[in-house]
Amino acid sequence: MNVRSNSPRPRRAGYALLMVLAVTGVASLVLAATLNRTLTNAKLNDRSNEYSVAANAAEAAVEKVVARIGHDFQNFGPGAVYANLSLYRNSIPDEDPFWANFAFSDGQGNANRTYVAMLTNNYAGPLPSQYPGLSTARAPIYRVVSNARMAASGVVTGTAQEDVLLALVPLTHYAIFYNGLLEFSTCATMIVNGRVHANGSIYTGTSASLRFNGPVTCTGTISSPAWNGQGPRWNDRGSYHGSPPYRTNVPSVSLEIGMTNVHDILEIPPNGLSPASYEGRTRLYNQAQTVLLVSNATVTMKIQQGINYEVPGNDPSPVFVTSTNTPSALATNFPFLVTTNTFKDQRENKTVKVTEIDVERYKQWIQHQPSIQAKFPAGSGAYPTILYVADNRTTTSSQMNAVRLTNGDDLPSNGGLGWSVATPNPLYVHGHYNCPNSHYRNTTNTTASVPAAVMSDALTILSPAWDDGRSSSSYTGRIPDNTTVNAAILTGVVPSTGSSSSQFSGGVHNLPRLLEDWNRYSRTLTLNTAIMKLFNSEVATHQFVNPGVYYDPPTRNFSYDLNYLDPTKQPPGIPCAMVLVRLNWAAPPPNTVTYNVSP
């Protein structure tokens, strides 16, 4: 029997459908959100990648300009960088078709350009920590900025910015600087307390002791070969205690000298060379405020002043003081000058015709001479800090012109700036020099001295006891006194031509030449100095001969004058090494050239 119920049917199916629809809706929303988020992440990733590529392109543009600035600076000096600003600004990467994928601008809306501008021309102070002990003064800082984006559809801009310092580092920051082979071979006991650098190799090796307390660097190698006629098995090959102790095969240190033959910094400039040109500015003739020229018949002093930081040689209205070259005329016009003295230099085997300058009398003369005072009036802040002297008298094959400084205990202070002497001739320093306090002689105390340098073809030191009348007799009859010289030395040498004793340069310890018997009488030569050998001698060119022929060596008390680490105590006229320093790197906001990196 069939039974039929009349009860209502349950509504579970309707609820299930609603739930399915609800879940499906939520799932759709989640899916849509997920798809949207995925799409957004993809766009973000794309834009991040696009930014990285664009930023790398901007950095490439900056580095191209910085590399060119570095080349121009280290080969031609800071003036060349300033002169080439338009070239840098029109420079973008274009060496490969790849760079056509990018649109470059200078952060100021100018397409296909790079921003380059000088931030300051007067930076002074220590260099960053990677250059310990080095400082600079009146150095320019340049900012280089590039913006870049993808050329076709780029919407993201990459940026790069770098500030570079064109540091001019005085060579007196080095205790010893050689532009070529530097030899300590067969040296007496020597302790070097400052930095040492050679644009070449360094030879060591001694039966005494050689110690370096500062960093030692060279572009070549450090070794102890058989040298000066002696074998390579030295008792002492040198010990190194700097930080770092030493480095070899380093890049060459470029000099702020605009000529191939570095000796030309001492020469009279050729006709037609502008003092304002890069080469002209590095000539000491143009850097000097007083230029003394000696000929057979006349003596002329040119008095010139630098205006608006130009070299004095560019003075449009120099003053000339002229005299006939006779004792009576010189006594009236140049009372500090004698041109009639001669003596024998046994190393050169020549009679030396001397232009002799009494430094104390010169100091008094410049304080009262009307033409000097007119060019350098009291209170003006301008001083005659460099004296350039050239003896151009005719000579025979047995003669040699030279300059000699006497009575040089107390140098012109020039408002604390000091005084330097430069000459293309060989230079002789007679007696104590730049040591006005007699209690400081034979010591390293230079607190009473002024910044000073002697720059010449060759340098010979004569003790206070030197007598011209004994110069042609045996050196054993030339009995010296203890002597103190406080000055930076920039001069030449006769280079080694081989390994034998007759081919040796004498090494750095014999760079200051001597003509007396210092050893027999146990005399001491005290030098508080920085030694710079930038060229080979071109006038005094006879090879060094080991002791026992024209001299015997002193007890050498050679010390680096720590005053030279102070930028305010640099001797006038000292050349500089050119060091490009990368100061700050940043990724500034697009279209911004004034962004500064926070300390």
Side-chain angles (χ1 to χ4, degrees):
M1 182 170 87
N2 293 327
V3 178
R4 183 175 180 180
S5 175
N6 293 321
S7 301
R9 184 175 293 177
R11 299 179 179 177
R12 293 176 181 171
Y15 289 132
L17 179 59
L18 288 175
M19 292 181 64
V20 170
L21 291 175
V23 170
T24 301
V26 171
S28 298
L29 290 174
V30 171
L31 177 60
T34 301
L35 291 174
N36 184 63
R37 185 179 63 188
T38 301
L39 180 61
T40 300
N41 286 342
K43 288 182 178 180
L44 290 174
N45 289 335
D46 287 343
R47 291 195 175 185
S48 177
N49 292 335
E50 184 180 331
Y51 172 77
S52 296
V53 173
N56 289 337
E59 185 175 351
V62 167
E63 287 301 317
K64 178 178 180 178
V65 170
V66 171
R68 179 59 190 269
I69 289 176
H71 172 271
D72 292 345
F73 173 54
Q74 294 183 325
N75 284 278
F76 306 106
V81 174
Y82 185 78
N84 285 336
L85 285 178
S86 61
L87 183 151
Y88 309 143
R89 290 166 178 163
N90 285 290
S91 178
I92 59 173
D94 57 5
E95 297 79 7
D96 188 275
F98 168 78
W99 297 115
N101 295 318
F102 299 93
F104 293 94
S105 68
D106 63 359
Q108 295 181 311
N110 300 305
N112 297 319
R113 287 171 61 87
T114 302
Y115 178 85
V116 185
M118 182 189 294
L119 296 183
T120 179
N121 193 34
N122 197 28
Y123 175 85
L127 300 190
S129 59
Q130 62 265 40
Y131 302 96
L134 298 184
S135 61
T136 185
R138 298 199 61 78
I141 298 176
Y142 285 88
R143 171 163 292 175
V144 184
V145 180
S146 178
N147 287 194
R149 61 177 178 80
M150 301 301 295
S153 58
V155 295
V156 179
T157 299
T159 64
Q161 172 182 297
E162 189 154 20
D163 296 342
V164 292
L165 169 68
L166 306 186
L168 298 175
V169 179
L171 291 185
T172 44
H173 278 354
Y174 296 88
I176 301 172
F177 184 98
Y178 261 52
N179 196 26
L181 174 65
L182 170 55
E183 299 153 298
F184 293 90
S185 306
T186 67
C187 71
T189 296
M190 183 175 288
I191 299 174
V192 184
N193 287 320
R195 302 171 70 95
V196 174
H197 177 80
N199 281 341
S201 292
I202 296 177
Y203 290 174
T204 65
T206 175
S207 58
S209 176
L210 175 62
R211 178 186 175 98
F212 298 99
N213 287 334
V216 177
T217 55
C218 63
T219 63
T221 60
I222 300 176
S223 62
S224 302
W227 213 243
N228 192 22
Q230 300 191 34
R233 296 189 178 278
W234 309 101
N235 295 335
D236 192 300
R237 299 188 180 190
S239 60
Y240 303 87
H241 305 274
S243 180
Y246 65 87
R247 293 175 58 202
T248 60
N249 299 305
V250 303
S252 177
V253 173
S254 300
L255 305 178
E256 187 202 10
I257 297 174
M259 55 206 80
T260 303
N261 182 6
V262 180
H263 191 280
D264 284 349
I265 65 171
L266 298 175
E267 301 292 343
I268 297 174
N271 292 332
L273 178 64
S274 170
S277 67
Y278 179 52
E279 178 179 340
R281 295 175 66 88
T282 58
R283 299 260 183 169
L284 287 163
Y285 175 97
N286 288 325
Q287 294 183 35
Q289 294 83 12
T290 51
V291 175
L292 189 66
L293 303 177
V294 178
S295 69
N296 291 339
T298 62
V299 175
T300 300
M301 175 170 280
K302 181 183 180 185
I303 305 167
Q304 52 195 18
Q305 184 189 151
I307 301 172
N308 295 327
Y309 303 114
E310 284 290 336
V311 291
N314 207 36
D315 187 341
S317 56
V319 176
F320 294 88
V321 179
T322 302
S323 171
T324 56
N325 192 358
T326 63
S328 59
L330 294 181
T332 300
N333 297 300
F334 299 112
F336 57 86
L337 181 64
V338 174
T339 60
T340 55
N341 290 339
T342 62
F343 65 90
K344 183 69 174 289
D345 184 319
Q346 290 190 342
R347 169 170 171 169
E348 291 299 309
N349 193 28
K350 289 185 177 181
T351 298
V352 181
K353 297 169 64 176
V354 182
T355 287
E356 185 162 293
I357 297 170
D358 184 310
V359 175
E360 179 60 32
R361 290 185 176 182
Y362 173 84
K363 177 181 177 180
Q364 298 301 320
W365 183 78
I366 62 174
Q367 291 174 355
H368 300 96
Q369 211 282 336
S371 296
I372 295 283
Q373 292 304 303
K375 271 292 182 185
F376 305 97
S380 67
Y383 299 94
T385 57
I386 302 175
L387 170 65
Y388 178 95
V389 188
D391 187 331
N392 298 315
R393 291 177 290 177
T394 57
T395 58
T396 67
S397 60
S398 63
Q399 296 175 323
M400 180 177 73
N401 292 333
V403 176
R404 182 161 63 181
L405 304 176
T406 66
N407 199 16
D409 275 298
D410 194 4
L411 304 186
S413 175
N414 290 314
L417 298 177
W419 187 63
S420 294
V421 177
T423 175
N425 303 113
L427 179 67
Y428 296 79
V429 173
H430 181 195
H432 303 292
Y433 194 79
N434 195 21
C435 193
N437 189 328
S438 61
H439 294 95
Y440 297 162
R441 293 173 184 170
N442 307 312
T443 75
T444 59
N445 190 331
T446 58
T447 56
S449 302
V450 301
V454 287
M455 300 175 277
S456 59
D457 175 79
L459 175 69
T460 302
I461 295 176
L462 308 173
S463 83
W466 172 267
D467 180 358
D468 287 349
R470 294 179 177 270
S471 61
S472 60
S473 59
S474 170
Y475 79 94
T476 58
R478 299 194 288 271
I479 305 172
D481 285 341
N482 294 334
T483 306
T484 299
V485 174
N486 298 328
I489 296 171
L490 189 159
T491 195
V493 301
V494 180
S496 295
T497 58
S499 60
S500 76
S501 60
S502 63
Q503 298 173 303
F504 185 41
S505 74
V508 66
H509 43 295
N510 284 302
L511 177 139
R513 303 180 180 194
L514 304 170
L515 295 173
E516 297 166 270
D517 191 353
W518 299 75
N519 182 55
R520 184 188 301 268
Y521 302 99
S522 302
R523 300 297 193 254
T524 298
L525 173 60
T526 298
L527 294 182
N528 294 301
T529 187
I531 293 175
M532 294 156 282
K533 179 266 173 185
L534 304 187
F535 44 76
N536 295 329
S537 301
E538 295 186 2
V539 182
T541 56
H542 277 210
Q543 196 76 37
F544 166 83
V545 178
N546 276 302
V549 178
Y550 55 81
Y551 88 109
D552 255 350
T555 298
R556 295 182 177 92
N557 183 15
F558 292 4
S559 298
Y560 175 56
D561 189 344
L562 296 178
N563 281 321
Y564 299 145
L565 294 177
D566 185 342
T568 67
K569 295 182 179 180
Q570 300 308 310
I574 287 295
C576 291
M578 298 186 293
V579 180
L580 185 145
V581 181
R582 298 170 181 267
L583 285 181
N584 299 308
W585 187 92
N591 302 315
T592 300
V593 296
T594 58
Y595 180 79
N596 292 316
V597 178
S598 299

